[in-house]
Amino acid sequence: MTDPIRLDLVSDTATCPTPDMRRAIADADVGDEQRGEDPSINALTERVASLLGKEAAIFVPSGIMSNVIAILVHCRPGDEIIAAENAHIIGAEAAAASALAGASIQPIACEFGIFSGWDVEAAVRKTRYRSPRSRLINIEQTTNRGGGSVWPLDTIASVAKAGHAHNLSLHMDGARLLNAVIATDVSADAYAAPFDSCWLDLSKGLGCPAGSVLAGSRAFIEDAWWWKHRLGGAMRQSGILAAAGLYALDHHVDRLADDHENARQLAERLRNIPGIDVMTPNIQTNLVFFNLMGTGFTADEISNRLLKEGIRIGIEQEFRMRAVTHLDISLKDVHEAADHLERIIGLENAHPRAANERVQRS
Ligand SMILES: *Cc1c(COP(=O)(O)O)cnc(C)c1O
């Protein structure tokens, strides 16, 4: 029998709807979304379009579907997308860009998932029959496997300038856009302005059970509707999901600052554990990636020990883990997780490899 998980730091998707969110869901006005008749969906899409400074928006079941639809609208088979090497669209979407849109992705080597206009200039293909056609730039705000880092506005501007010089479209994967907004006090529409399409996820830090909202020009959203239908993403009384989204936009945005503070405190504790390296020098949002190599433990070993205490932290690589703070994780919880990590890693003699490494390092 596996132990129940009490503290789930595996992702901010681990959030469960709060009692008040469940009440908002129960009270939702609904209609047939496919016919454009769901009042809650219509209210949510109008609200997100205006939040992101775009003409229109569309509700889809997941963040991945927002990325996939945007790529299908922007790209034709043989086109190429420019994205950070650790981008979600490269590593975590079952190759949808190639499987469904026939588009390849050129991975850009960069630190923290953030590249520059120069990188775009270097990545754009010459127009010739043997090359893919450069077509779209994808950026993540915040960068997931870049450690939750925030793309600064001027870096976005340099990438947009290079993209426009080569007639590329720009897409923002804004799974955690509102984390960036809260971390920096820059508005969502300022971040979204240079992008032809952008979306935000309701089921991450905002704490909803499902859904994302994709925004763009009226023409872009018109095309997006065709793909939403083709992919089977057109729903009926999905207003019960939109009601959660509207509730979250009212009540769960400002509190993202707590998640960021909790992540900072967790990172601080981890930095003080011998053998742990925290990936980002300064934690801007709610993701904490850390390397365990110096402890002599593998991520699997640490994970199994933590699970015995009812604590789950994500395994990224053999020696790399990711802890994510969110609505259901308090400051006390992150300190409890850190206490257990300290204790596990402090038991040097319980683990011969750790003891060896310690000797070598001292
Ligand atoms: C989670 C995530 C997605 C996908 O969102 P889902 O709602 O899980 O489908 C896309 N991009 C980034 C950067 C993410 O973190």
Side-chain angles (χ1 to χ4, degrees), residues 2-261:
T2 55
D3 301 292
I5 293 168
R6 292 179 300 115
L7 306 185
D8 201 352
L9 291 147
V10 80
S11 175
D12 40 9
T13 55
T15 52
C16 290
T18 61
D20 283 344
M21 180 181 279
R22 285 169 185 269
R23 269 188 281 282
I25 290 171
D27 292 344
D29 289 330
V30 296
D32 189 335
E33 184 227 87
Q34 263 191 37
R35 298 174 190 275
E37 292 170 359
D38 189 296
S40 300
I41 289 287
N42 295 344
L44 176 68
T45 51
E46 276 165 35
R47 178 150 172 195
V48 173
S50 126
L51 182 68
L52 301 183
K54 301 298 178 198
E55 287 175 357
I58 188 168
F59 180 78
V60 296
S62 69
I64 290 178
M65 197 183 281
S66 274
N67 277 338
V68 173
I69 288 177
I71 289 169
L72 284 160
V73 172
H74 290 303
C75 299
R76 296 292 163 269
D79 286 352
E80 187 175 60
I81 302 163
I82 293 168
E85 61 189 344
N86 54 14
H88 203 276
I89 61 167
I90 296 180
E93 304 194 357
S98 57
L100 302 176
S104 54
I105 307 178
Q106 186 181 160
I108 306 299
C110 55
E111 218 181 2
F112 308 130
I114 296 174
F115 50 90
S116 68
W118 293 109
D119 294 317
V120 172
E121 287 291 347
V124 170
R125 306 282 185 176
K126 284 201 167 63
T127 307
R128 54 191 174 192
Y129 295 137
R130 70 166 190 249
S131 298
R133 277 176 308 191
S134 301
R135 178 70 197 99
L136 179 68
I137 299 171
N138 170 81
I139 80 149
E140 283 176 19
Q141 184 73 301
T142 65
T143 66
N144 182 339
R145 283 178 174 75
S149 306
V150 178
W151 275 75
L153 274 183
D154 56 351
T155 311
I156 291 177
S158 87
V159 162
K161 187 168 171 219
H164 291 149
H166 296 281
N167 282 322
L168 309 187
S169 294
L170 281 104
H171 173 67
M172 180 189 273
D173 170 340
R176 298 186 180 82
L177 172 60
L178 296 181
N179 292 82
V181 168
I182 291 301
T184 58
D185 248 356
V186 172
S187 66
D189 62 329
Y191 280 131
F195 293 90
D196 300 287
S197 51
C198 58
W199 59 274
L200 50 85
D201 213 326
L202 300 175
S203 65
K204 301 246 161 107
L206 293 181
C208 300
S212 86
V213 185
L214 171 66
S217 68
R218 233 178 283 291
F220 172 85
I221 294 300
E222 182 64 27
D223 286 347
W225 265 105
W226 289 98
W227 282 113
K228 175 170 144 116
H229 268 263
R230 287 184 192 117
L231 296 173
M235 292 168 278
R236 302 299 185 182
Q237 289 73 26
S238 48
I240 58 168
L241 294 173
L246 289 163
Y247 177 88
L249 290 173
D250 285 335
H251 300 282
H252 289 174
V253 177
D254 290 341
R255 63 151 307 285
L256 292 171
D258 300 342
D259 299 343
H260 301 167
E261 176 57 25

